């Protein structure tokens, strides 16, 4: 018998599952994006106390409002694709960031940098539930595991 005295910080349990990339001003998934979504859906199936978080981004071209809307539409497209693979849409959270977080700043190849920024990142994160007393984790957490030890 042993006693666990602490649990891993929640931010260390957020697991990136991949990224879906998009053509300029497009929201449709290509063959590679469809495969990425299918892989993530297979990994998520039967994961109790977890949710999917989709973070949509664009390249820096265009105005901020249009880019924010485009990143949202891309995230919705990925959400719908996950739903087509049987993932309950209630377990999917969408966040749209527009052009705020470019992946690459490659001055030597700005087109490639822009292409890598047009994406939706797929994450799994635990949902923390509380005991009846309101302050004790009950489920959806992993005690004492490091990020690299969680195998999906």
């Amino acid at each position: 018998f042993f006693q666990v005295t602490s649990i891993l910080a929640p931010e260390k349990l957020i697991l990136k599952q991949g990224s879906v990339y998009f053509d300029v001003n497009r929201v449709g998934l290509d063959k590679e994006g469809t495969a990425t979504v299918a892989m993530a859906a297979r990994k998520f199936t039967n994961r109790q106390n977890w949710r999917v978080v989709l973070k949509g981004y664009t390249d820096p071209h265009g105005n901020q409002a249009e880019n924010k809307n485009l990143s949202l539409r891309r995230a919705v497209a990925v959400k719908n694709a996950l739903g087509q693979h049987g993932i309950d849409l209630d377990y999917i959270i969408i966040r749209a960031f527009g052009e705020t977080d470019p992946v690459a700043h490659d001055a030597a190849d700005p087109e490639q940098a822009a292409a890598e920024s047009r994406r939706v990142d797929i994450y799994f994160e635990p949902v923390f539930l509380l005991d009846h007393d309101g302050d004790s984790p009950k489920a959806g957490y992993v005690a004492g595991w490091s990020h690299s030890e969680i195998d999906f």
Side-chain angles (χ1 to χ4, degrees):
F1 171 74
F2 67 94
Q3 181 177 1
V4 176
T5 56
S6 65
I7 64 171
L8 189 62
E11 63 274 4
K12 300 228 180 188
L13 288 175
I14 298 171
L15 307 173
K16 186 173 181 182
Q17 297 301 310
S19 297
V20 176
Y21 297 95
F22 295 86
D23 289 331
V24 175
N25 293 323
R26 300 284 186 236
V27 297
L29 278 66
D30 62 13
K31 188 176 181 178
E32 188 175 317
T34 300
T36 299
V37 166
M39 177 206 60
R42 281 191 305 274
K43 289 180 177 181
F44 189 75
T45 302
N46 299 321
R47 302 278 176 217
Q48 293 184 356
N49 302 314
W50 289 78
R51 66 181 173 193
V52 178
V53 178
L54 304 175
K55 297 181 179 182
Y57 301 93
T58 64
D59 63 32
H61 306 298
N63 74 46
Q64 277 188 325
E66 289 173 357
N67 283 341
K68 182 103 176 195
N69 181 272
L70 180 58
S71 67
L72 175 63
R73 290 174 35 226
R74 287 175 174 164
V76 168
V78 173
K79 178 178 181 176
N80 290 337
L82 285 165
Q84 290 174 349
H85 284 279
I87 304 302
D88 185 338
L89 299 180
D90 290 338
Y91 287 92
I92 303 173
I93 305 298
I94 291 177
R95 297 186 178 126
F97 295 97
E99 61 194 56
T100 61
D101 189 18
V103 169
H105 302 280
D106 188 352
D109 191 352
E111 288 304 313
Q112 181 63 30
E116 292 175 13
S117 294
R118 295 188 298 267
R119 72 198 190 278
V120 172
D121 293 334
I122 303 171
Y123 294 89
F124 294 169
E125 69 180 26
V127 176
F128 288 84
L129 304 176
L130 298 177
D131 275 335
H132 63 279
D133 63 5
D135 62 7
S136 303
K138 178 174 86 173
Y141 73 95
V142 181
W145 285 6
S146 73
H147 172 262
S148 61
E149 292 173 319
I150 300 173
D151 182 24
F152 281 95

